[in-house]
Amino acid sequence: MNISSALFLLIGSFLCVSGGVGILRFPDFYTRMHAVGVTETLATAMILIGLMLHNPDFLVDIKLMIILVMTLFISPTASHALAKAAMHNDLAPVLGNKPDAKKVTSSNP
Amino acid sequence: MAAAIFIVKMKDLIAVTMMLGIYGLLSASFFVAMDAVDVAFTEASVGAGISTLLMLVAVTMTARTEHPVRHKPLLALAVVFVTGSLLIYGTLDMPYFGSADAPIHQHVAPRYINDSMQEVGVPNIVTSVLASYRAFDTLGEVVVIFTAGMGVLALLLVVHRREDDEKIDSLNKSMHEKYLVLRIVAKMLIPFIMLFAFYVQFHGDFGPGGGFQAGVIFASAIFLYTMLFGMSTARRVINQSFIQLLAATGVLLYGSVGVVSLLNGKEFLDYSALSADPVSGQHLGILLIELGVGITVASVMVIIFFNFAGHTKSPQNKENKDF
Amino acid sequence: MFLGLFNYWIVIVLMMIGFYIVIAHGNLIKKIVGLSIFQTSVFIFYISIAKVDGGTAPILTEGVEIYSNPLPHVLILTAIVVGIATTALGLALVVRIKDAYGSIEEEEIQKKDNLD
């Protein structure tokens, strides 16, 4: 029990750190959002599962499971809201270095 | 501390608000490390949540960046330095961190810790002190929140006109597709947030929680709805005068519990007068006043937010209303 | 001795940073932010006093002997909520000042007042 919970906690923290590295190294706002949104959700899930396995008590497990489900809903929606807000404010994504690259603009009048 | 130094240096006010939120979150985790779970809960929900939101709304209504300081702040630095060194000199006498024989732990606190179970009967000592031993202070606090809500109403009251609603409604419907993902997820989440608020309210006797945190969480569910569906829809769902009535009802509930104790022959806010058995009287009293606190806090937060967000100084700000 | 008094000194540094922001910056919202930093540092001070070595959170559970002192927790709970009430009121005042004077920099507001 302790080995598997420690394993999950380690994987979760490694994913968090890699998401942080992604924020620092990616070139553009949208790619950074993608890095954080994906890794953060999975990292939170791993950490919560690790906590559930650490001390199996039924009531605590139910509460942690509810938190997990909520996080799966909330975290990608938050990244979606941030990206939408950036699009609304005409922050154009960097689309590559080809000479005929299209410029992407928001659909606002 | 690094967060605080960042706040000094930065000129962009929205970034400053975000750093304030991070600072609040860091201090909340510090409180957890110090075994102050109730305080950490309150600081996380209030300081890192609501305070950041209110600042953000205020910053969008005023300037976005700060003007650079033109003169060197030498005098201010000197004053700060002198005050700081005087304070450090003052702490040289203070008891060491974590020592169990500091004077603060000797007088009233052992009585609270030892006698709370027999006299009040709730496991959470912080709730029993807040709601029973020091209930009068909590009454003052509820009145302070109520007064702040009234102050914000007096400063920023929005006169609501009917003909604005139709224009905003048509704009809302055309934007429904644009915000589809956010709106659907919000509709799924809001019942759970409210359920969590009720859980925190009534579970405050056994774990961290209580009236304040529950009121703030309940208000944040309403904020979520308002932000995604527009002010006019939110105003129709939650009537402004009803909310004001609710705020006053919370304070009234709290005060009337005290008055009922008076009428039953005991002192003001002495809960043992509320029922036959003193301990169950304490339970009933704590339940009622936490309910009063929760109602008042939730409605005052909603009043403050509605008045901030609906405050338009001229018609050109209408398109800011649908966030 | 340094380790024992360390927490007080951190609190004093934070307090001074908040104090400095209030008196040295001209922007009104920055001043309110500084005030909020000041308040939070006072909370940290009280909570760090309340901790007892080896104690746990003051919720009565089986098998625990030493609890941290609950009295400062109660006071700080009240203080946090009162702090946000004053912050909200201060921000409402700032919004109204912006309406009346057109700017929230202290020097420009004083100039406008002196001209009348």
Side-chain angles (χ1 to χ4, degrees), chain B residues 35 42 66 95 98 109 123 311, chain C residues 8 25 30 53 55 60 69 77 99:
Chain B
D35 305 330
T42 313
E66 174 194 8
H311 177 76
Chain C
Y8 301 134
H25 284 258
K30 205 82 179 288
D53 269 336
L60 292 168
N69 197 350
L77 209 55
D99 283 349

Side-chain angles (χ1 to χ4, degrees), chain B residues 84-167:
Chain B
S85 32
L86 280 177
L87 281 174
I88 291 185
Y89 177 64
T91 65
L92 288 177
D93 264 344
M94 295 197 63
Y96 290 164
F97 174 57
S99 62
D101 56 352
I104 188 180
H105 301 301
Q106 301 309 333
H107 303 285
V108 189
R111 182 201 165 186
Y112 287 155
I113 295 179
N114 293 331
D115 296 344
S116 160
M117 199 60 194
Q118 294 105 303
E119 291 183 359
V120 180
V122 291
N124 190 357
I125 309 185
V126 173
T127 300
S128 78
V129 174
L130 184 72
S132 169
Y133 288 114
R134 299 273 168 119
F136 198 57
D137 299 341
T138 314
L139 176 64
E141 173 184 2
V142 173
V143 172
V144 163
I145 302 175
F146 183 67
T147 313
M150 292 303 114
V152 170
L153 262 183
L155 282 173
L156 290 180
L157 182 59
V158 179
V159 176
H160 184 56
R161 291 175 303 209
R162 290 284 148 200
E163 61 266 13
D164 298 340
D165 274 349
E166 286 91 35
K167 279 184 271 182

Side-chain angles (χ1 to χ4, degrees), chain B residues 7-8 10 13 30 35 42 66-67 70 73 80 91 95 97-98 104-105 109 123 125 141 145 155 311 313, chain C residues 4 8-9 16 20 25 27 29-30 44 51-53 55 58 60 68-69 77-78 81 92 96 99 105 107-108:
Chain B
I7 295 182
V8 175
M10 279 196 288
L13 282 179
F30 174 76
D35 305 330
T42 313
E66 174 194 8
H67 290 189
R70 267 174 301 158
V80 164
T91 65
F97 174 57
I104 188 180
H105 301 301
I125 309 185
E141 173 184 2
I145 302 175
L155 282 173
H311 177 76
K313 46 183 189 268
Chain C
Y8 301 134
W9 294 349
M16 287 304 113
Y20 172 70
H25 284 258
N27 194 348
I29 289 197
K30 205 82 179 288
I44 296 179
K51 168 139 176 86
V52 175
D53 269 336
L60 292 168
S68 285
N69 197 350
L77 209 55
T78 307
V81 186
R96 284 300 275 160
D99 283 349
E105 296 289 331
E107 296 150 348
E108 298 178 15

Side-chain angles (χ1 to χ4, degrees), chain A residues 11-53:
Chain A
I11 295 180
S13 36
F14 169 68
L15 282 172
C16 261
V17 168
S18 78
V21 168
I23 291 188
L24 288 175
R25 300 219 0 147
F26 274 140
D28 178 35
F29 177 73
Y30 291 101
T31 44
R32 287 180 194 157
M33 278 313 307
H34 179 74
V36 162
V38 170
T39 58
E40 176 191 344
T41 315
L42 194 58
T44 317
M46 290 288 128
I47 292 182
L48 285 172
I49 295 179
L51 285 175
M52 273 198 273
L53 289 174

Side-chain angles (χ1 to χ4, degrees), chain A residues 59-101:
Chain A
L59 200 56
V60 174
D61 276 353
I62 293 284
K63 292 182 188 174
L64 282 176
M65 182 69 73
I66 295 181
I67 296 179
L68 181 60
V69 170
M70 287 291 126
T71 311
L72 280 178
F73 273 126
I74 294 177
S75 184
T77 313
S79 333
H80 168 78
L82 272 175
K84 203 184 230 338
M87 205 64 186
H88 184 83
N89 281 326
D90 297 327
L91 178 69
V94 171
L95 272 187
N97 295 331
K98 299 200 274 286
D100 55 345

Side-chain angles (χ1 to χ4, degrees), chain B residues 11-81:
Chain B
K11 301 263 184 282
D12 185 2
L13 282 179
I14 290 195
V16 163
T17 314
M18 287 301 147
M19 291 310 289
L20 195 65
I22 293 180
Y23 178 72
L25 188 64
L26 285 174
S27 43
S29 25
F30 174 76
F31 291 155
V32 170
M34 292 288 126
D35 305 330
V37 283
D38 258 65
V39 178
F41 201 155
T42 313
E43 170 71 23
S45 57
V46 165
I50 299 288
S51 167
T52 310
L53 184 66
L54 279 181
M55 286 245 168
L56 214 59
V57 174
V59 164
T60 49
M61 296 207 168
T62 59
R64 168 79 193 253
T65 59
E66 174 194 8
H67 290 189
V69 181
R70 267 174 301 158
H71 54 274
K72 284 240 157 255
L74 280 178
L75 181 60
L77 272 176
V79 167
V80 164
F81 203 57

